[in-house]
Short mmCIF file of all heavy atoms in Angstrom, two decimals:
data_model
loop_
_atom_site.label_atom_id
_atom_site.label_comp_id
_atom_site.label_asym_id
_atom_site.label_seq_id
_atom_site.Cartn_x
_atom_site.Cartn_y
_atom_site.Cartn_z
N LYS A 294 10.79 1.59 -9.98
CA LYS A 294 10.53 2.12 -8.64
C LYS A 294 9.31 1.40 -8.07
O LYS A 294 8.29 1.27 -8.75
CB LYS A 294 10.29 3.63 -8.71
CG LYS A 294 10.35 4.33 -7.34
CD LYS A 294 10.34 5.84 -7.50
CE LYS A 294 11.62 6.38 -8.08
NZ LYS A 294 12.76 6.27 -7.14
N ILE A 295 9.43 0.94 -6.83
CA ILE A 295 8.39 0.11 -6.21
C ILE A 295 7.76 0.85 -5.04
O ILE A 295 8.47 1.39 -4.18
CB ILE A 295 9.00 -1.23 -5.72
CG1 ILE A 295 9.63 -1.97 -6.91
CG2 ILE A 295 7.94 -2.09 -5.03
CD1 ILE A 295 10.66 -2.99 -6.51
N PHE A 296 6.42 0.88 -5.04
CA PHE A 296 5.66 1.50 -3.95
C PHE A 296 4.84 0.42 -3.26
O PHE A 296 4.09 -0.31 -3.91
CB PHE A 296 4.73 2.59 -4.49
CG PHE A 296 5.45 3.75 -5.12
CD1 PHE A 296 5.75 3.74 -6.48
CD2 PHE A 296 5.82 4.85 -4.36
CE1 PHE A 296 6.41 4.81 -7.07
CE2 PHE A 296 6.49 5.92 -4.93
CZ PHE A 296 6.78 5.90 -6.29
N MET A 297 4.96 0.34 -1.94
CA MET A 297 4.18 -0.60 -1.13
C MET A 297 3.30 0.23 -0.20
O MET A 297 3.80 0.94 0.66
CB MET A 297 5.11 -1.52 -0.35
CG MET A 297 6.03 -2.34 -1.24
SD MET A 297 7.33 -3.24 -0.33
CE MET A 297 6.34 -4.38 0.64
N LEU A 298 1.99 0.12 -0.39
CA LEU A 298 1.04 0.99 0.31
C LEU A 298 0.19 0.20 1.28
O LEU A 298 -0.24 -0.92 0.98
CB LEU A 298 0.12 1.68 -0.71
CG LEU A 298 0.79 2.31 -1.94
CD1 LEU A 298 -0.26 2.93 -2.85
CD2 LEU A 298 1.82 3.35 -1.53
N GLY A 299 -0.07 0.77 2.46
CA GLY A 299 -0.89 0.07 3.43
C GLY A 299 -1.55 1.01 4.42
O GLY A 299 -1.05 2.11 4.68
N ASN A 300 -2.68 0.58 4.95
CA ASN A 300 -3.33 1.28 6.05
C ASN A 300 -2.81 0.72 7.37
O ASN A 300 -2.34 -0.43 7.43
CB ASN A 300 -4.85 1.11 5.97
CG ASN A 300 -5.41 1.68 4.68
OD1 ASN A 300 -4.97 2.72 4.20
ND2 ASN A 300 -6.39 1.00 4.11
N THR A 301 -2.90 1.50 8.43
CA THR A 301 -2.33 1.08 9.72
C THR A 301 -3.24 0.08 10.43
O THR A 301 -3.78 0.33 11.49
CB THR A 301 -2.11 2.31 10.62
OG1 THR A 301 -3.28 3.15 10.57
CG2 THR A 301 -0.91 3.11 10.15
N VAL A 302 -3.37 -1.11 9.82
CA VAL A 302 -4.24 -2.13 10.38
C VAL A 302 -3.47 -3.15 11.21
O VAL A 302 -4.04 -3.80 12.09
CB VAL A 302 -5.05 -2.87 9.29
CG1 VAL A 302 -6.03 -1.92 8.63
CG2 VAL A 302 -4.12 -3.48 8.23
N ASN A 303 -2.18 -3.34 10.94
CA ASN A 303 -1.42 -4.36 11.66
C ASN A 303 0.08 -4.10 11.51
O ASN A 303 0.63 -4.29 10.43
CB ASN A 303 -1.76 -5.75 11.13
CG ASN A 303 -1.17 -6.85 11.99
OD1 ASN A 303 -0.36 -6.60 12.88
ND2 ASN A 303 -1.57 -8.08 11.73
N ARG A 304 0.72 -3.66 12.58
CA ARG A 304 2.14 -3.36 12.48
C ARG A 304 3.00 -4.61 12.62
O ARG A 304 4.21 -4.55 12.44
CB ARG A 304 2.54 -2.32 13.52
CG ARG A 304 2.40 -2.73 14.96
CD ARG A 304 2.78 -1.58 15.89
NE ARG A 304 2.64 -1.95 17.28
CZ ARG A 304 2.86 -1.11 18.28
NH1 ARG A 304 3.25 0.13 18.02
NH2 ARG A 304 2.72 -1.48 19.53
N TYR A 305 2.40 -5.75 12.97
CA TYR A 305 3.15 -7.01 12.99
C TYR A 305 3.01 -7.64 11.60
O TYR A 305 2.16 -8.48 11.36
CB TYR A 305 2.63 -7.93 14.09
CG TYR A 305 2.96 -7.39 15.46
CD1 TYR A 305 1.99 -6.72 16.21
CD2 TYR A 305 4.23 -7.52 15.98
CE1 TYR A 305 2.30 -6.20 17.46
CE2 TYR A 305 4.55 -7.00 17.23
CZ TYR A 305 3.58 -6.35 17.96
OH TYR A 305 3.90 -5.82 19.19
N CYS A 306 3.85 -7.19 10.70
CA CYS A 306 3.76 -7.57 9.29
C CYS A 306 5.03 -8.30 8.88
O CYS A 306 6.14 -7.83 9.16
CB CYS A 306 3.58 -6.29 8.46
SG CYS A 306 3.80 -6.52 6.69
N PRO A 307 4.93 -9.46 8.21
CA PRO A 307 6.14 -10.21 7.84
C PRO A 307 7.06 -9.43 6.90
O PRO A 307 8.27 -9.65 6.90
CB PRO A 307 5.58 -11.46 7.14
CG PRO A 307 4.18 -11.13 6.78
CD PRO A 307 3.70 -10.17 7.81
N TYR A 308 6.52 -8.50 6.13
CA TYR A 308 7.35 -7.71 5.23
C TYR A 308 8.36 -6.87 6.01
O TYR A 308 9.50 -6.69 5.58
CB TYR A 308 6.49 -6.80 4.35
CG TYR A 308 5.76 -7.53 3.26
CD1 TYR A 308 4.48 -8.04 3.48
CD2 TYR A 308 6.34 -7.73 2.02
CE1 TYR A 308 3.81 -8.72 2.49
CE2 TYR A 308 5.67 -8.41 1.01
CZ TYR A 308 4.41 -8.91 1.26
OH TYR A 308 3.74 -9.59 0.27
N PHE A 309 7.95 -6.33 7.15
CA PHE A 309 8.86 -5.51 7.94
C PHE A 309 10.07 -6.32 8.38
O PHE A 309 11.22 -5.85 8.31
CB PHE A 309 8.14 -4.93 9.16
CG PHE A 309 7.02 -3.99 8.81
CD1 PHE A 309 5.97 -3.77 9.71
CD2 PHE A 309 7.00 -3.31 7.61
CE1 PHE A 309 4.94 -2.90 9.40
CE2 PHE A 309 5.97 -2.43 7.28
CZ PHE A 309 4.94 -2.23 8.18
N LYS A 310 9.83 -7.54 8.82
CA LYS A 310 10.93 -8.38 9.29
C LYS A 310 11.79 -8.85 8.12
O LYS A 310 13.03 -8.80 8.19
CB LYS A 310 10.37 -9.60 10.04
CG LYS A 310 11.45 -10.50 10.62
CD LYS A 310 10.86 -11.64 11.42
CE LYS A 310 11.95 -12.53 12.01
NZ LYS A 310 11.37 -13.66 12.80
N GLU A 311 11.14 -9.30 7.04
CA GLU A 311 11.88 -9.83 5.90
C GLU A 311 12.73 -8.75 5.23
O GLU A 311 13.80 -9.03 4.68
CB GLU A 311 10.91 -10.41 4.87
CG GLU A 311 10.08 -11.59 5.36
CD GLU A 311 10.83 -12.91 5.29
OE1 GLU A 311 12.04 -12.89 4.97
OE2 GLU A 311 10.22 -13.95 5.55
N MET A 312 12.29 -7.49 5.28
CA MET A 312 13.02 -6.40 4.64
C MET A 312 13.95 -5.69 5.61
O MET A 312 14.62 -4.72 5.24
CB MET A 312 12.03 -5.40 4.03
CG MET A 312 11.16 -5.98 2.93
SD MET A 312 9.86 -4.86 2.34
CE MET A 312 10.85 -3.67 1.42
N GLY A 313 13.98 -6.16 6.87
CA GLY A 313 14.87 -5.56 7.86
C GLY A 313 14.45 -4.18 8.29
O GLY A 313 15.30 -3.35 8.67
N LEU A 314 13.15 -3.90 8.28
CA LEU A 314 12.64 -2.58 8.67
C LEU A 314 12.39 -2.60 10.18
O LEU A 314 11.28 -2.76 10.66
CB LEU A 314 11.36 -2.26 7.89
CG LEU A 314 11.47 -2.44 6.36
CD1 LEU A 314 10.15 -2.06 5.69
CD2 LEU A 314 12.63 -1.63 5.79
N THR A 315 13.46 -2.42 10.93
CA THR A 315 13.44 -2.68 12.37
C THR A 315 12.85 -1.56 13.20
O THR A 315 12.58 -1.74 14.39
CB THR A 315 14.88 -2.95 12.85
OG1 THR A 315 15.71 -1.83 12.49
CG2 THR A 315 15.44 -4.21 12.21
N HIS A 316 12.66 -0.40 12.61
CA HIS A 316 12.25 0.76 13.41
C HIS A 316 10.79 1.16 13.17
O HIS A 316 10.33 2.17 13.71
CB HIS A 316 13.17 1.94 13.06
CG HIS A 316 13.05 3.10 14.01
ND1 HIS A 316 12.52 4.31 13.63
CD2 HIS A 316 13.36 3.21 15.33
CE1 HIS A 316 12.52 5.14 14.67
NE2 HIS A 316 13.02 4.49 15.71
N VAL A 317 10.05 0.38 12.41
CA VAL A 317 8.69 0.76 12.03
C VAL A 317 7.80 1.00 13.25
O VAL A 317 7.04 1.97 13.30
CB VAL A 317 8.06 -0.32 11.12
CG1 VAL A 317 6.57 -0.09 10.96
CG2 VAL A 317 8.74 -0.30 9.76
N LYS A 318 7.90 0.13 14.23
CA LYS A 318 7.00 0.24 15.40
C LYS A 318 7.25 1.50 16.22
O LYS A 318 6.38 1.94 16.96
CB LYS A 318 7.13 -1.01 16.28
CG LYS A 318 6.51 -2.25 15.66
CD LYS A 318 6.57 -3.44 16.58
CE LYS A 318 7.97 -3.98 16.72
NZ LYS A 318 8.02 -5.22 17.53
N GLU A 319 8.43 2.10 16.09
CA GLU A 319 8.74 3.31 16.85
C GLU A 319 8.52 4.58 16.04
O GLU A 319 8.69 5.69 16.55
CB GLU A 319 10.20 3.28 17.33
CG GLU A 319 10.48 2.27 18.44
CD GLU A 319 10.54 0.85 17.94
OE1 GLU A 319 11.04 0.64 16.82
OE2 GLU A 319 10.07 -0.07 18.65
N MET A 320 8.17 4.46 14.77
CA MET A 320 8.03 5.63 13.92
C MET A 320 6.85 6.50 14.34
O MET A 320 5.84 5.99 14.84
CB MET A 320 7.85 5.23 12.45
CG MET A 320 9.10 4.69 11.80
SD MET A 320 8.86 4.31 10.03
CE MET A 320 8.68 5.98 9.36
N GLN A 321 6.99 7.79 14.15
CA GLN A 321 5.92 8.75 14.43
C GLN A 321 5.34 9.25 13.11
O GLN A 321 6.04 9.34 12.10
CB GLN A 321 6.47 9.93 15.23
CG GLN A 321 6.99 9.55 16.61
CD GLN A 321 5.93 8.92 17.48
OE1 GLN A 321 4.82 9.43 17.59
NE2 GLN A 321 6.27 7.80 18.10
N PRO A 322 4.04 9.58 13.09
CA PRO A 322 3.43 10.09 11.86
C PRO A 322 4.18 11.31 11.33
O PRO A 322 4.62 12.17 12.08
CB PRO A 322 2.02 10.47 12.31
CG PRO A 322 1.75 9.59 13.49
CD PRO A 322 3.07 9.45 14.19
N GLY A 323 4.35 11.34 10.02
CA GLY A 323 5.04 12.46 9.38
C GLY A 323 6.53 12.27 9.21
O GLY A 323 7.23 13.18 8.79
N THR A 324 7.04 11.06 9.53
CA THR A 324 8.48 10.81 9.42
C THR A 324 8.79 9.82 8.29
O THR A 324 7.94 9.02 7.90
CB THR A 324 9.05 10.26 10.74
OG1 THR A 324 8.37 9.03 11.07
CG2 THR A 324 8.85 11.26 11.86
N ILE A 325 10.03 9.90 7.79
CA ILE A 325 10.52 8.99 6.76
C ILE A 325 11.86 8.42 7.22
O ILE A 325 12.77 9.18 7.54
CB ILE A 325 10.69 9.69 5.40
CG1 ILE A 325 9.36 10.26 4.90
CG2 ILE A 325 11.26 8.71 4.36
CD1 ILE A 325 9.48 11.02 3.59
N ASP A 326 11.97 7.10 7.25
CA ASP A 326 13.24 6.43 7.55
C ASP A 326 13.80 5.85 6.25
O ASP A 326 13.03 5.37 5.39
CB ASP A 326 13.05 5.30 8.56
CG ASP A 326 12.79 5.81 9.97
OD1 ASP A 326 12.98 7.02 10.20
OD2 ASP A 326 12.39 5.01 10.83
#
Side-chain angles (χ1 to χ4, degrees):
K294 194 171 289 291
I295 302 159
F296 296 90
M297 301 170 64
L298 313 179
N300 299 322
T301 46
V302 294
N303 189 350
R304 64 182 179 183
Y305 291 100
C306 167
Y308 286 90
F309 296 156
K310 183 177 181 180
E311 297 278 7
M312 297 173 73
L314 309 181
T315 56
H316 192 248
V317 168
K318 288 184 288 185
E319 288 76 36
M320 288 183 69
Q321 297 300 312
T324 59
I325 300 178
D326 287 348

